[in-house]
Amino acid sequence: MILDHKSILAGCALGLAIFGAAPSFSQQDQDSKEQNAANTPEQRSLKAFLATIKAAKAGDDLTSAVAGIEAMAREGDPVASVAAGDLYRDGKLVPKDIAKAIDLYTKALEKGRPAAAARLGDLYRQGEALGLDRHKALGYYEQGVQGGDAGAKAGMAALYAEGVLVGRDIPKAVALYEEIIAAGGTWAVSALAALYLRGDEVGLDPAKAVGYYRQGVEAGDAGAMIGLANIYRDGKLVPKDIAKAIDLFTKALEKGRPAAAARLGDLYRQGEALGLDRHKALGYYEQGVQG
């Protein structure tokens, strides 16, 4: 199996999703402490497989790592089942197969892996787009929350903010995000900041989003960097500062966020109006397309 550029990004996301903070549809699950505490040879092997994927470069052969994860999942390892489910959900290193992903997550959940509940909630929440009953998402998120999973808490917070599957309850959404952040889940800062940006629509002060984004930037979160850069670019909540916006977009791009390349391209494309070299826009757009 030869790895292309997109596979590298998927591999990084997969490795982080299992052993740190990584995005899933609900933003991340934060069960890394439990996983890092596992000292069995099997768990060490799984970490090695994921580390290989995370560190992969273009042209690397990941066949053995993927096969190893799948083999451990077939043997019933719940952590490996979640990892294999992520592979089939994302469809980068293996053919995309949502049915297989759901089966693997379900088996992991049956073995007491709450992170699998969040993954299931994320998939079912997409509803008809995946041919699934979106109403089942709520039950999975609730099951994950009961198990203490941060990803499930983020999923529930999103449901409370949307007010579709459950009644809208902004205080509950804010409380869940703050609970995640207080436990070290700085990845949730961007979601909370985005909620504050909705302002009067949800009865929140949009100015507070700035503080949350800054908190995320200090923690090295790329999503927060993009969010704060947008604010400096627009100049509505803080004085407009294109130089700061460019710096933040650039840092987010260096962290592997191709969306930042498009924003940099948009800024440089304006050229002299912003005191920038418009010829640089092409390079950023190309970088974003490649990502």
Side-chain angles (χ1 to χ4, degrees):
M1 180 180 299
I2 303 301
L3 178 67
D4 58 16
H5 181 71
K6 291 184 178 180
S7 296
I8 297 174
L9 296 179
C12 292
L14 173 64
L16 290 173
I18 302 302
F19 293 107
S24 65
F25 189 75
S26 64
Q27 290 299 304
Q28 286 56 333
D29 67 59
Q30 289 293 303
D31 54 357
S32 59
K33 290 183 179 179
E34 175 187 343
Q35 292 161 4
N36 289 333
N39 291 313
T40 65
E42 291 78 11
Q43 288 305 307
R44 288 197 294 272
S45 296
L46 178 59
K47 290 180 184 179
F49 291 141
L50 293 172
T52 296
I53 292 174
K54 179 181 177 181
K57 298 178 181 178
D60 286 355
D61 187 346
L62 297 178
T63 303
S64 295
V66 171
I69 293 171
E70 291 183 313
M72 292 180 70
R74 285 194 297 271
E75 292 170 0
D77 183 288
V79 183
S81 294
V82 173
D86 290 347
L87 288 174
Y88 284 104
R89 177 198 63 193
D90 299 336
K92 304 296 184 181
L93 303 181
V94 297
K96 188 169 185 175
D97 192 325
I98 298 301
K100 276 190 178 181
I102 289 176
D103 180 61
L104 286 159
Y105 291 145
T106 300
K107 289 177 179 177
L109 183 59
E110 290 172 350
K111 292 201 170 188
R113 196 70 183 166
R119 304 292 210 287
L120 287 164
D122 292 342
L123 288 175
Y124 276 94
R125 185 176 160 202
Q126 297 177 63
E128 293 182 1
L130 295 180
L132 302 173
D133 179 1
R134 67 183 312 217
H135 294 88
K136 291 184 178 181
L138 176 61
Y140 284 118
Y141 283 140
E142 289 177 333
Q143 194 170 347
V145 169
Q146 291 172 1
D149 182 69
K153 292 177 183 178
M156 279 298 300
L159 291 186
Y160 281 127
E162 292 170 356
V164 177
L165 298 181
V166 295
R168 174 174 280 185
D169 193 324
I170 300 303
K172 281 186 178 180
V174 170
L176 282 166
Y177 283 133
E178 289 182 338
E179 186 177 328
I180 297 168
I181 295 167
T186 52
W187 51 266
V189 167
S190 292
L192 180 55
L195 184 58
Y196 270 93
L197 281 179
R198 293 167 65 178
D200 291 341
E201 177 198 347
V202 292
L204 297 175
D205 180 3
K208 289 186 177 180
V210 178
Y212 283 112
Y213 278 135
R214 284 174 174 159
Q215 184 178 346
V217 168
E218 289 175 1
D221 182 72
M225 291 173 188
I226 292 177
L228 186 58
N230 288 337
I231 289 176
Y232 278 117
R233 177 198 61 195
D234 299 337
K236 295 179 180 179
L237 299 178
V238 297
K240 190 170 186 174
D241 192 324
I242 298 301
K244 282 187 178 180
I246 288 176
D247 179 61
L248 287 163
F249 284 139
T250 301
K251 288 177 179 176
L253 183 58
E254 290 170 350
K255 284 181 170 287
R257 287 297 185 94
R263 288 168 170 78
L264 285 165
D266 292 342
L267 287 174
Y268 276 93
R269 188 178 166 194
Q270 297 177 59
E272 293 181 1
L274 296 179
L276 301 173
D277 179 1
R278 64 181 311 201
H279 295 90
K280 291 184 178 181
L282 176 60
Y284 284 117
Y285 284 137
E286 289 177 335
Q287 194 169 347
V289 170
Q290 291 171 0

Short mmCIF file of all heavy atoms in Angstrom, two decimals, residues 48-50 52-53 61-70 87:
data_model
loop_
_atom_site.label_atom_id
_atom_site.label_comp_id
_atom_site.label_asym_id
_atom_site.label_seq_id
_atom_site.Cartn_x
_atom_site.Cartn_y
_atom_site.Cartn_z
N ALA A 48 2.45 0.96 18.37
CA ALA A 48 3.49 0.96 17.34
C ALA A 48 2.88 1.08 15.95
O ALA A 48 3.39 1.82 15.10
CB ALA A 48 4.32 -0.32 17.44
N PHE A 49 1.77 0.37 15.72
CA PHE A 49 1.11 0.46 14.42
C PHE A 49 0.62 1.88 14.15
O PHE A 49 0.81 2.44 13.07
CB PHE A 49 -0.09 -0.50 14.36
CG PHE A 49 0.28 -1.96 14.35
CD1 PHE A 49 -0.46 -2.88 15.06
CD2 PHE A 49 1.38 -2.41 13.62
CE1 PHE A 49 -0.12 -4.23 15.06
CE2 PHE A 49 1.73 -3.76 13.61
CZ PHE A 49 0.97 -4.67 14.34
N LEU A 50 0.01 2.48 15.16
CA LEU A 50 -0.52 3.83 15.01
C LEU A 50 0.60 4.85 14.86
O LEU A 50 0.48 5.81 14.10
CB LEU A 50 -1.41 4.19 16.21
CG LEU A 50 -2.70 3.37 16.31
CD1 LEU A 50 -3.41 3.64 17.62
CD2 LEU A 50 -3.61 3.66 15.14
N THR A 52 3.44 4.29 13.49
CA THR A 52 3.96 4.13 12.13
C THR A 52 3.11 4.93 11.15
O THR A 52 3.64 5.62 10.26
CB THR A 52 3.94 2.65 11.72
OG1 THR A 52 4.83 1.92 12.57
CG2 THR A 52 4.38 2.48 10.27
N ILE A 53 1.80 4.85 11.30
CA ILE A 53 0.90 5.59 10.42
C ILE A 53 1.06 7.09 10.62
O ILE A 53 1.13 7.86 9.67
CB ILE A 53 -0.56 5.16 10.67
CG1 ILE A 53 -0.76 3.72 10.22
CG2 ILE A 53 -1.54 6.09 9.95
CD1 ILE A 53 -2.12 3.14 10.55
N ASP A 61 5.11 2.39 2.83
CA ASP A 61 4.18 1.27 2.71
C ASP A 61 3.58 1.00 4.09
O ASP A 61 4.28 0.62 5.03
CB ASP A 61 4.94 0.03 2.22
CG ASP A 61 4.00 -1.13 1.91
OD1 ASP A 61 2.83 -1.08 2.33
OD2 ASP A 61 4.45 -2.08 1.25
N LEU A 62 2.28 1.20 4.19
CA LEU A 62 1.59 1.04 5.49
C LEU A 62 0.79 -0.25 5.57
O LEU A 62 -0.02 -0.42 6.48
CB LEU A 62 0.67 2.23 5.73
CG LEU A 62 1.37 3.59 5.83
CD1 LEU A 62 0.36 4.70 6.02
CD2 LEU A 62 2.37 3.59 6.96
N THR A 63 1.02 -1.16 4.64
CA THR A 63 0.25 -2.40 4.61
C THR A 63 0.33 -3.16 5.92
O THR A 63 -0.69 -3.62 6.45
CB THR A 63 0.76 -3.31 3.47
OG1 THR A 63 0.68 -2.61 2.23
CG2 THR A 63 -0.08 -4.57 3.39
N SER A 64 1.53 -3.29 6.46
CA SER A 64 1.70 -4.07 7.69
C SER A 64 1.00 -3.43 8.87
O SER A 64 0.38 -4.12 9.69
CB SER A 64 3.20 -4.24 8.00
OG SER A 64 3.83 -5.00 7.01
N ALA A 65 1.09 -2.10 8.98
CA ALA A 65 0.44 -1.40 10.10
C ALA A 65 -1.06 -1.55 10.03
O ALA A 65 -1.72 -1.84 11.04
CB ALA A 65 0.84 0.07 10.09
N VAL A 66 -1.63 -1.36 8.84
CA VAL A 66 -3.08 -1.49 8.68
C VAL A 66 -3.51 -2.93 8.96
O VAL A 66 -4.50 -3.17 9.67
CB VAL A 66 -3.50 -1.06 7.26
CG1 VAL A 66 -4.98 -1.39 7.02
CG2 VAL A 66 -3.27 0.43 7.07
N ALA A 67 -2.77 -3.89 8.41
CA ALA A 67 -3.10 -5.31 8.62
C ALA A 67 -3.01 -5.66 10.11
O ALA A 67 -3.82 -6.43 10.63
CB ALA A 67 -2.17 -6.19 7.80
N GLY A 68 -2.04 -5.10 10.79
CA GLY A 68 -1.88 -5.37 12.22
C GLY A 68 -3.06 -4.87 13.03
O GLY A 68 -3.55 -5.55 13.93
N ILE A 69 -3.52 -3.66 12.72
CA ILE A 69 -4.67 -3.10 13.41
C ILE A 69 -5.91 -3.95 13.16
O ILE A 69 -6.67 -4.27 14.08
CB ILE A 69 -4.92 -1.64 12.97
CG1 ILE A 69 -3.77 -0.75 13.44
CG2 ILE A 69 -6.25 -1.13 13.50
CD1 ILE A 69 -3.80 0.65 12.86
N GLU A 70 -6.11 -4.33 11.90
CA GLU A 70 -7.28 -5.14 11.56
C GLU A 70 -7.23 -6.51 12.24
O GLU A 70 -8.26 -7.02 12.70
CB GLU A 70 -7.37 -5.30 10.05
CG GLU A 70 -7.72 -4.01 9.31
CD GLU A 70 -7.88 -4.22 7.82
OE1 GLU A 70 -7.00 -4.86 7.23
OE2 GLU A 70 -8.87 -3.73 7.26
N LEU A 87 -10.43 3.68 10.39
CA LEU A 87 -9.88 3.43 9.05
C LEU A 87 -11.00 3.31 8.03
O LEU A 87 -10.95 3.93 6.95
CB LEU A 87 -9.05 2.15 9.05
CG LEU A 87 -7.69 2.16 9.76
CD1 LEU A 87 -7.10 0.76 9.77
CD2 LEU A 87 -6.74 3.13 9.09
#
